[in-house]
Amino acid sequence: MRTPDIGAVTDALRTRLHAIWETEPGWRGWLSTVDHKEIGLRYIVTAFLMLIIGGIEALVIRLQLAGPDLRLLTPEQYDQFFTMHGMTMIFLYASPILSGFSNYLWPLLLGSRDMAFPRLNAFSYWVYLAAAIFLYSGFVVGAGPDDGWFNYVPYAERNYSPGPNQDIYALGMMLLGISTTVGAANFIVTAFKMRAPGMAINRLPILIWGTLTASVANLIVVPAVSLAFFLLWMDRQFGTGFFQPALGGQPLLWQHLFWLFGHPWVYAIVLPAMGMVSDGLPVFCRRPLAGYSLVALSTVATMILGFGVWVHHMFATGLPALSLSFFSGASIIITVPSAVAVFAWLATIWTGRPVITTAFLFYASMILLFVIGGVSGFMTASVPADWQLTDTYFVVAHIHYVLIGINVFPVVGATYFWFPKMSGRFLDERLGRWNFWTMFLGFNLGFLPMHLTGLLGMPRRIWTYSDGMGWDGLNLITTIGSFLFAAGVLIFFVNVAKSLRSGAPANDNPWDAPTLEWSIPSPPPPYNFAVIPTIASRHPLWENRLQESRARSTLDRGMTLDHGKETLTTTPMDAEPERIVEMPEDSYAPLLLTAGLATLFAGLALKAWPIAGTSGLLVFAALLFWLWPRRQLLERAPAHG
Amino acid sequence: MSATPLDYLFSSAGRRADVTLPLTWFMLIVSVVVCLVVAGLLLGSLRGAKGGGAAETAAEPVRRDHAGGLRWITIGLAISSVPLLISLIWTMAALAQVAGPPRRPEMTIDVTAHQWWWEADYHGTEPADSFVTANEIHIPVGVPVEIRLRGGDVIHSFWVPQLAGKTDTIPGQQNIAWLEARRPGIFRGQCAEYCGAEHAKMGFEVVAQPMAEFQRWRQDQLQPAPPPATQAQRQGYALTMARCGLCHAIRGTSATARGGPDLTHLMSRRLIAAAMLPNNPGALGGWIQDPQGVKPGALMPAQHLSGEQLTDVIAYLETLQ
Amino acid sequence: MAEAALARPGPLPVGPIGRAGLGFWGVAMLVASEAALFSYLLFSYYYLCATAPAGWVLEPAPKMIPGLPNTLLLLSSSFVAWWGEKGVEKGDRRRALIGFGTTFVMGTIFAGVQVHEWAGKAFGPTTNGYASLYFTTTGLHMAHVVVGLIILLCLFGWTALDFFSPRRRIAVSAGILYWHFVDIVWLFVFTTYYLTPYLGFGT
């Protein structure tokens, strides 16, 4: 037991903490760091890279579809392109980018010095990187997955897809599942244990609610898809009969397992982004978020309902009408919590004094895109309508409004918003306006007409179409729009590159925002907070102006926790101080374990059993090394050997 | 806008599509109105707003929450729940109408989807009353017809937009769809579930005819193929049996394979190659010689016939009326 | 008052004490995710079972020997593990070693009997969907047993090296929690494959 020292933020304290928390410079530190900010940035950079790759694939697809009967790609190439595009955007961009922002921001928002499990955090990133490379290994040699991102059987079975294409997809997705699962576990424990004293559950930023909800979902549903891919791999490798009707298996089992995962996953890749808007919009409207509690509740409610709507992806599979009507009803009802968020955002703007910055433009336009993606989802929730709409370009338009509208737009907005915190420099606002308008106009030009393409019957996943179907003009417009949109994204990256070098310098709290991350230097020091702050409200930096109560947060005085690499854990609900914890030093264990896993999966893909076996041993050794009880972490009794 | 082949927004010609069309329009209009209202609210909220960057943001004073937000949410939810509720009830009512036919269908057609064509089995009361055709499904007008969808190789989806929505064909299970055409006509169908290389070119047609006309068609289809009459036809016949017969069936001959479409009445069909080409000697010849040119990835091998051989084969195939 | 307690807390524990610590939360997360994995496997079984033709369940009347005694053996090993954990808690190293060692032996016997049972099956993993699921579910459980046995071995070794004390023993609590999980999951697997056929599932 120890009574923590209380002190003010002094230079001496900063120097001491810096020495304790700093990552070793050079390649050693680079390979072993467990700093959540470094890991978060890596996630963000890698995910944006995937966005670029997936975007290029999309442009190739759009060229192929620009007019009828074009032959830029063969059907086999086209099938790989659309599969890789979907897989890349959904699994390698949309979710990791949010993990990246959350990784970077969570401890800063929560008033902690790191995530609950820093080494697990590093591991989660390395595995993501390995899985991304793994999933692309087939595509670069012309044997990429080619059955769409949801990979229906029996087409994905060996008799119809004898090449290595689907093996790579199956194994890669299992590998990626490990990353997602450990990442989710880390977020959940961090949310419940790693908050500054006083940050009770009703004072969490909405981004925390969003990522927490998404993480709980991921923890529970990712095993479904990992299992599905494992069973598929067994079918392909050993001839088991899970999905093969001839052996008493069922193709529909795949669809159930996949969508049990798939639908909650869709919410997992939008809820944190909605949280970004809920937290960011109020800053530019100069008032707190309207209806905080309702928005937090609706975030959770969306996910709970989200577990019960997976069958709406399977309306046409011949299920009994009774079960269809249940899932149809649930899918219509799920719009209610989303509507809560929309009205809360609108109310925040109406009753505030909006300042139109680039970040604001991205956030505010997201509301409209969210509604467009929402109402098209509402249409597909109606079984009779969906029997016409499903598997047409209407659904393609819907998914793009959801993923681009509710993920890409908030993420770009969030980059404008937090870039000063991360780099100490602003993104250029003038270039930002060009960035926004090109993306916004390009996106809507490309994807709004696509709804009509679908209503005129264009099925999705067709490599070409004949003229006379009424789709020519619409497709050409979509192609033009996508290129305009891509130009907008390009401007964004140009802005990032330019501003990193010559952006205007930013102070600690350039937007005059209310939350904890703005109380520390930009960019934050390795230890985040020199003293652990004590929180008295949802808006620690606006308390004097909001005058909501007499209690005040204490940010410049608090526990110093400088006896080692220490931070504080608190109780799950009220965030009362509970324990001083030692955080692990930088470690190679995460990288080693990843190397072991990656070679294990490569061995399985190449059917090189000795390699797989040997790397299995490496995995075991890395785990033993990792989990060996350490005195520094107080996992061992001090008095003994 | 005039109807395009797969359009289901501006035209419907069957009982199921008829029920779905107004529901789709209602939801579409609600959706568009909602989007316009939100866009309007967004624009309205920006009246008097000023542009700027960080300096302008930080300069603006922070306002206290005047609790006006909750009213927005409650009123917004109250208003939006009305169209939501109507859609829910309408959906259930429409589902009840389209899920099953209003009366027991008197006729059942077994449809099997293959990579990348459609097989249709018409059953009679006895075997002599049954026949198989492909890619062109005839139905009588004004009566419900049951379509038993048998899973073939991989998952496909049976879709004739102007008559009815989609029903998947799934290996290992039998799904039931039904069609009822309100008026005679030719309605295009298309596979709607991704099924491999030529998913794009897996079309078919549903021909809805008055009952008498349909019965005549049925009687025609029951006839076996006539024997070849001319020299060219005889030579073509021999080639057809030796080559085409490996995968195709022609009733009344020794070709009985079921790997590709039944050719017994090939010439009675409007289109060939799963509704991708017109059925004329030129297109037929091109298709036989180079299927991959029309449908890359198609499972039918190119035949590389000499010009004379091709003429003979077509001469014979033209007898399959 | 409350504010003061937040800003200036009294003495706080440093590091994990007993089972309280982040590590325990971590294993709890792992267990939650793994439990989900097994629920999806069992869902797959019930789903296929409900839609499959007659005769799909290859063993409509599974033999209770050796499955039932083996199940009881695995379940009782949980109690022995708990008894051993109490040994660490009381600072009784000998009791802890006996506890972990015995649990390890019981677990090994369970695994051996299970392998023996596999060998005696009239069907293999590729016979049909039922067989595939039976071998995959019990096989995946077996993988968890093996992991649990390795953990027990580690705990045994670390206890022998005198790593733990009544205060510092988070690894023991976390490891034993995992073993309890392995045992409880088996209860569901056993019920599904050995008991539900008698209740008429799939027959």
Side-chain angles (χ1 to χ4, degrees), chain A residues 578-633:
Chain A
E578 186 183 63
R579 182 184 310 280
I580 299 167
V581 288
E582 288 287 340
M583 301 308 276
E585 300 291 344
D586 289 349
S587 165
Y588 292 110
L591 186 59
L592 268 179
L593 184 56
T594 307
L597 276 174
T599 31
L600 172 64
F601 276 78
L604 293 178
L606 298 169
K607 309 187 203 305
W609 311 118
I611 295 181
T614 321
S615 20
L617 290 177
L618 180 62
V619 167
F620 172 68
L623 271 173
L624 195 63
F625 170 60
W626 185 329
L627 296 173
W628 196 267
R630 272 163 234 274
R631 217 168 278 132
Q632 182 256 331
L633 297 177

Side-chain angles (χ1 to χ4, degrees), chain A residues 500-519:
Chain A
L500 271 178
R501 264 183 296 150
S502 58
N507 62 23
D508 294 357
N509 190 3
W511 310 108
D512 185 29
T515 39
L516 277 184
E517 78 272 30
W518 303 104
S519 70

Side-chain angles (χ1 to χ4, degrees), chain A residues 193-277:
Chain A
K193 299 303 292 177
M194 307 299 285
R195 312 204 298 263
M199 186 174 282
I201 201 101
N202 58 348
R203 291 175 183 162
L204 295 176
I206 301 288
L207 174 59
I208 305 283
W209 279 108
T211 311
L212 173 62
T213 309
S215 299
V216 171
N218 280 344
L219 192 76
I220 300 172
V221 301
V222 168
V225 79
S226 299
L227 176 70
F229 276 107
F230 176 66
L231 299 183
L232 173 64
W233 182 73
M234 297 268 287
D235 268 12
R236 293 176 56 84
Q237 192 64 53
F238 304 112
T240 51
F242 299 107
F243 306 122
Q244 315 206 47
L247 288 173
Q250 285 244 16
L252 271 193
L253 174 61
W254 170 273
Q255 298 192 15
H256 279 294
L257 288 175
F258 190 91
W259 292 118
L260 266 166
F261 150 83
H263 201 81
W265 177 265
V266 174
Y267 290 111
I269 55 185
V270 299
L271 287 176
M274 290 164 68
M276 290 170 167
V277 174

Side-chain angles (χ1 to χ4, degrees), chain B residues 198-287:
Chain B
E198 276 310 341
H199 166 55
K201 300 197 172 179
M202 187 170 161
F204 62 101
E205 284 188 327
V206 171
V207 179
Q209 299 164 304
M211 187 54 97
E213 205 178 303
F214 170 76
Q215 290 299 0
R216 266 201 306 282
W217 174 81
R218 186 183 176 117
Q219 287 310 317
D220 287 346
Q221 295 286 317
L222 283 169
Q223 305 306 316
T230 68
Q231 178 62 17
Q233 287 172 8
R234 270 191 295 276
Q235 277 165 3
Y237 172 80
L239 269 168
T240 304
M241 290 305 116
R243 305 279 194 100
C244 314
L246 295 176
C247 298
H248 296 276
I250 300 172
R251 248 174 311 122
T253 73
S254 61
T256 54
R258 302 281 296 257
D262 185 292
L263 302 180
T264 312
H265 295 278
L266 176 65
M267 284 304 136
S268 73
R269 298 176 202 152
R270 265 171 34 90
L271 304 171
I272 57 168
M276 287 304 141
L277 294 175
N279 192 359
N280 59 47
L284 190 58
W287 172 244

